[in-house]
Amino acid sequence: RYEDAIHYYERAMELEPTNADLKLSIAQVYFLKNDKENYEYWLRAIIEDPRTEQEQLESIYGKLIAIYCAREEYQAIHDMLINCPLASIRTTYQNYIAERPQFSVPSGEYEEVKALKMTASGGGKIYYTLDGETPDASKTQYVSPILMEDGDFTVKAVYINENGVQSQVASAWYHITVTELEAPEINLDGGEYDLPYKITVRSEE
């Protein structure tokens, strides 16, 4: 009598709206009823409730991840875990998380050439752009440090892990101004000479 059970649980939640166990119970009824849409809805309602205890959260996240894995919706797993407040859960399911790339050079203005390195945890790939365009798997793959000389650079990068999950975009802005030094002055012109000469080199610096 699933419909009766749902009715009574909904009535119970009206009387005790803070009772997370009731939400879990109604989710189980939908599971037994093979109503996957409402089962998922109530599981998500439980993890979004700040009153849910950690032990319950660990179980619920596991159930939701099983649902998304069966549908191969790995990006949905990533998006859910990236917003999870519990580090223990993120650690348990870290293979489904794609952290945004880290840049070796902070945003800013520099007066020298910079070699920008990008790193990310895992065995996936990093893709980037230098013109501010949003990166994805169709853009340039990062394989070695990016040499930034004179000019402005808006660097954006994403990490895509082994499951095809894409991270949030990492971005940085750089203004590189490389001052060219004047050539040193030599007191003697090149050529052939019959006598010894003292050669001096002078620079403005």
Side-chain angles (χ1 to χ4, degrees):
R1 298 172 60 184
Y2 297 135
E3 296 303 326
D4 287 344
I6 291 170
H7 170 75
Y8 288 121
Y9 277 127
E10 288 177 344
R11 176 58 181 151
M13 281 188 287
E14 291 177 4
L15 299 173
E16 296 184 50
T18 63
N19 190 332
D21 289 332
L22 291 174
K23 293 179 181 178
L24 182 58
S25 296
I26 196 171
Q28 287 299 114
V29 173
Y30 280 115
F31 175 77
L32 295 171
K33 193 176 177 227
N34 200 29
D35 185 339
K36 297 178 181 178
E37 183 177 348
N38 277 304
Y39 176 57
E40 179 184 342
Y41 168 83
W42 282 106
L43 292 180
R44 292 202 69 100
I46 294 169
I47 67 171
E48 292 168 5
D49 188 338
R51 296 178 293 264
T52 305
E53 297 178 359
Q54 180 173 342
E55 185 177 341
Q56 289 176 316
L57 283 174
E58 291 173 351
S59 172
I60 300 305
Y61 272 99
K63 294 178 188 298
L64 281 169
I65 287 172
I67 292 172
Y68 295 136
C69 279
R71 301 199 302 240
E72 296 185 354
E73 295 179 359
Y74 300 112
Q75 190 68 44
I77 299 174
H78 166 270
D79 295 343
M80 178 177 66
L81 291 174
I82 208 74
N83 295 311
C84 176
L86 296 177
S88 60
I89 293 176
R90 293 197 303 273
T91 300
T92 301
Y93 301 104
Q94 60 184 343
N95 290 340
Y96 296 103
I97 298 177
E99 297 285 356
R100 71 180 72 192
Q102 299 294 314
F103 295 166
S104 63
V105 181
S107 292
E109 299 183 6
Y110 298 92
E111 296 181 352
E112 59 184 354
V113 174
K114 288 291 183 181
L116 176 64
K117 297 179 182 179
M118 301 183 192
T119 56
S121 299
K125 298 176 182 178
I126 297 173
Y127 298 89
Y128 71 93
T129 61
L130 299 178
D131 57 2
E133 189 175 349
T134 300
D136 55 31
S138 68
K139 305 304 181 185
T140 304
Q141 181 182 339
Y142 173 80
V143 293
S144 61
I146 301 166
L147 195 64
M148 298 186 296
E149 300 180 288
D150 262 346
D152 293 313
F153 303 86
T154 300
V155 184
K156 292 188 175 183
V158 293
Y159 169 68
I160 300 179
N161 72 9
E162 301 90 330
N163 292 318
V165 176
Q166 181 171 306
S167 74
Q168 295 176 325
V169 176
S171 62
W173 175 83
Y174 305 95
H175 177 71
I176 309 294
T177 305
V178 180
T179 303
E180 293 188 9
L181 300 177
E182 294 290 336
E185 295 180 0
I186 302 175
N187 69 321
L188 192 65
D189 293 333
E192 297 182 4
Y193 296 89
D194 295 329
L195 298 173
Y197 285 92
K198 181 180 180 181
I199 299 175
T200 60
V201 180
R202 186 165 61 89
S203 173
E204 294 294 335
E205 294 297 324

